[in-house]
């Protein structure tokens, strides 16, 4: 909850500005007061009137607006808030912040504030990946600026990749984490994520299509609720979240070792798509064609079941163990059986048939199976699913 918290929301000029209107609504739903500031470019995307109507507040727009200066100077405005949020943070705004420019109201407030600043970057993929933006990002992080996103996905400009502004609910999570001692403060939560790569030889491996998006979003949401998160990740497509302890692994065996090393934990979420088998006769040097036309025969051996191992620990078992069941048929029946077999407390079941577009996509439709039965959630973004799972975990550990 953000009751009584005051947010100064600086809206930059990008297509994602429309999402900031929803962000205002979400922040206010949680009890925050939102004072919006629009850059001139932002006014090309959202109107001062709609922004002000949603915020229930005056919108600040111009550094030289004398009435505002009479009511509240820009220094005071920058300090009256508990947190300054920049959403969307465009490449231009990030550049100004990193360079210390103060040539309009938004950049002046950002220079004058004595409060923490959280930015939600949003821009074209190439602009995000540009060395100048990455340099500015590193500078801002070094200055203590908090970040949320950007997400990977399809963009309004037709390209695909990192650059989409985080969803409003994910930004709200980050705001809560920045302002509050969340309900998971003091709790250690272990999260596994991503695929594993099982070597055939030093250059070839067996893998699966997991992007790591759902596990990453869960780790981010748990951290946003104040948890101390250890994030054990295979080679995922998405970068690990900020504010968690990251342990990078390649194989299932390495993942098991990392999990064992990270325990004890209050809760453990096994979102990784761990390979069930590894190549038993993996070669230490690159395998070559021998001209005979015979392909090498790979032999497989079963990988350790990390989830089952932790679920069935006799001593120091995490209070809550959550597994995933990615199924293509009879999702609920298979997941219910899997929960029994593995011994975990909850199974988050989803249908990963290709036609659902869930594996590697940005949305998920899950059913949570627990002692209390099956609870199906509607199709949501992976960030929204993550926020709901994190909140449910917080409830269970309370
Ligand atoms: O048996 P299956 O792979 O379908 O089970 C999926 C669940 O078990 C996921 O939570 C996954 O992270 C976990 N798992 C594991 N170690 C394995 C295989 C699966 O932790 N070797």
């Amino acid at each position: 909850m953000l009751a009584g918290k005051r947010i100064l929301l600086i809206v930059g000029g990008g297509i994602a500005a429309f999402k900031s209107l929803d962000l205002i609504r979400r922040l206010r739903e949680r009890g925050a007061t939102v004072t919006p500031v629009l850059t001139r470019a932002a006014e090309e995307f959202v109107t001062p009137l709609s922004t002000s109507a949603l915020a229930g507040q005056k919108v600040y727009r111009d550094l030289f607006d004398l009435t505002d200066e009479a009511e509240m100077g820009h220094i005071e405005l920058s300090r009256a808030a508990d947190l300054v949020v920049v959403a969307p943070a465009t490449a231009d705004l990030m550049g100004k912040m990193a360079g210390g420019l103060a040539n309009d109201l938004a950049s002046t407030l950002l220079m004058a504030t004595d409060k923490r600043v959280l930015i939600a970057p949003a821009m074209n993929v190439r602009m995000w990946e540009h060395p100048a933006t990455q340099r500015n990002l590193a500078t801002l992080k070094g200055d203590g600026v908090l970040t949320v996103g950007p997400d990977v996905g399809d963009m309004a400009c037709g390209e695909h990749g990192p650059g989409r502004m985080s969803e409003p609910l994910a930004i709200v999570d980050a705001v809560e984490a920045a302002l509050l001692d969340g309900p998971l403060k003091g709790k250690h939560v272990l999260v596994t994520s991503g695929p594993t790569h099982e070597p055939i030889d030093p250059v070839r491996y067996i893998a699966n299509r997991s992007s790591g998006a759902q596990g990453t979003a869960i780790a981010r949401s748990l951290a946003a609720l104040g948890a101390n998160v250890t994030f054990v990740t295979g080679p995922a497509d998405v970068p690990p979240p900020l504010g968690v302890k990251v342990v990078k692994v390649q194989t299932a065996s390495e993942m098991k070792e990392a999990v064992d090393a990270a325990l004890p934990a209050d809760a453990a979420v096994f979102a990784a798509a761990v390979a069930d088998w590894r190549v038993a006769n993996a070669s230490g040097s690159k395998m070559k064609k021998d001209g005979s036309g015979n392909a090498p025969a790979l032999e497989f051996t079963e990988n350790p079941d990390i989830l089952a191992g932790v679920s069935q620990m006799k001593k120091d078992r995490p209070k809550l163990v959550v597994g995933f069941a990615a199924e293509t048929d009879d999702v609920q029946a298979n997941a219910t059986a899997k929960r029994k077999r593995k011994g975990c407390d909850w199974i988050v079941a989803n249908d990963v048939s290709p036609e659902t577009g869930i594996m590697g996509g940005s949305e998920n439709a899950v059913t949570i199976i627990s002692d209390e039965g099956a609870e199906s959630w509607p199709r949501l973004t992976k960030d929204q699913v993550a926020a709901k799972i994190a909140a449910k975990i917080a409830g269970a550990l309370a």
Side-chain angles (χ1 to χ4, degrees):
M1 283 302 285
L2 293 167
K5 299 292 179 190
R6 291 156 305 171
I7 311 288
L8 182 68
L9 175 66
I10 294 176
V11 182
I15 186 71
F18 80 93
K19 284 203 229 173
S20 300
L21 297 181
D22 190 35
L23 175 61
I24 293 174
R25 205 166 58 86
R26 303 289 186 178
L27 288 167
R28 292 192 68 204
E29 267 170 15
R30 281 160 182 73
T33 308
V34 182
T35 303
V37 175
L38 294 181
T39 65
R40 186 144 294 154
E43 289 185 27
E44 301 290 332
F45 296 92
V46 292
T47 68
L49 190 60
S50 53
T51 313
S52 153
L54 278 165
Q57 289 264 343
K58 175 180 174 58
V59 174
Y60 291 84
R61 301 159 61 190
D62 196 336
L63 184 55
F64 300 107
D65 186 332
L66 292 178
T67 325
D68 295 346
E69 287 295 323
E71 284 170 10
M72 189 194 283
H74 60 269
I75 304 288
E76 202 185 330
L77 182 60
S78 76
R79 299 191 183 162
D82 296 299
L83 181 73
V84 181
V85 178
V86 186
T90 57
D92 178 64
L93 261 175
M94 285 176 63
K96 280 183 180 169
M97 288 173 75
L101 295 187
N103 57 4
D104 60 8
L105 180 59
S107 53
T108 304
L109 292 171
L110 286 160
M111 282 290 280
T113 189
D114 59 355
K115 297 299 181 332
R116 292 220 285 175
V117 178
L118 170 73
I119 62 170
M123 65 197 73
N124 166 272
V125 187
R126 297 276 164 268
M127 292 173 77
W128 173 250
E129 288 173 346
H130 195 285
T133 304
Q134 292 303 312
R135 218 166 34 236
N136 289 336
L137 179 67
T139 302
L140 293 174
K141 283 187 186 170
D143 292 345
V145 170
L146 304 169
T147 65
V148 50
D151 290 351
V152 175
D154 293 328
M155 315 234 286
C157 53
E159 290 188 47
H160 181 90
R164 277 165 65 110
M165 187 168 88
S166 289
E167 293 302 321
L169 284 176
I171 300 176
V172 170
D173 281 348
V175 168
E176 284 182 333
L179 283 174
L180 299 177
D181 291 340
L184 288 172
K185 189 179 167 64
K187 304 286 185 198
H188 178 213
V189 186
L190 171 66
V191 179
T192 71
S193 180
T196 63
H197 284 183
E198 307 296 334
I200 296 171
D201 68 17
V203 295
R204 304 181 178 96
Y205 58 83
I206 292 173
N208 60 64
R209 296 187 194 283
S210 166
S211 63
Q214 187 65 82
T216 301
I218 291 170
R220 185 182 293 120
S221 292
L222 289 164
L225 295 184
N228 166 19
V229 177
T230 303
F231 183 65
V232 179
T233 178
D237 295 343
V238 296
L242 294 169
V244 304
K245 180 174 180 217
V246 181
V247 185
K248 289 191 176 169
V249 298
Q250 295 280 326
T251 65
S253 303
E254 288 170 10
M255 187 171 275
K256 178 178 168 17
E257 254 176 56
V259 165
D260 288 345
L263 291 171
D266 296 287
V269 180
F270 293 91
V274 185
D276 288 319
W277 303 280
R278 67 178 176 278
V279 180
N281 57 342
S283 167
S285 51
K286 188 181 170 196
M287 290 158 77
K288 300 253 190 284
K289 284 180 282 199
D290 62 7
S292 69
N294 292 330
L298 297 181
E299 287 164 25
F300 289 91
T301 184
E302 209 168 286
N303 269 328
D305 192 316
I306 309 169
L307 167 64
V310 172
S311 298
Q312 292 163 28
M313 280 169 69
K314 295 273 176 301
K315 219 173 133 248
D316 293 336
R317 179 192 189 273
K319 183 174 168 206
L320 180 71
V321 180
V322 182
F324 275 68
E327 304 285 346
T328 51
D329 337 80
D330 289 337
V331 177
Q332 201 155 314
N334 280 326
T336 304
K338 186 166 291 180
R339 175 171 171 266
K340 267 231 172 69
R341 201 165 59 241
K342 305 243 187 190
C344 56
D345 303 297
W346 303 348
I347 280 272
V348 181
N350 58 3
D351 184 345
V352 292
S353 313
E355 62 274 15
T356 64
I358 283 173
M359 198 104 177
S362 60
E363 292 183 340
N364 208 350
V366 305
T367 299
I368 314 276
I369 294 161
S370 69
D371 263 347
E372 277 136 43
E375 179 186 336
S376 291
W377 294 345
R379 195 175 168 111
L380 300 166
T381 66
K382 287 185 176 172
D383 283 345
Q384 289 170 324
V385 170
K388 279 174 74 82
I389 290 175
K392 198 172 161 72
I393 290 172
L397 292 186

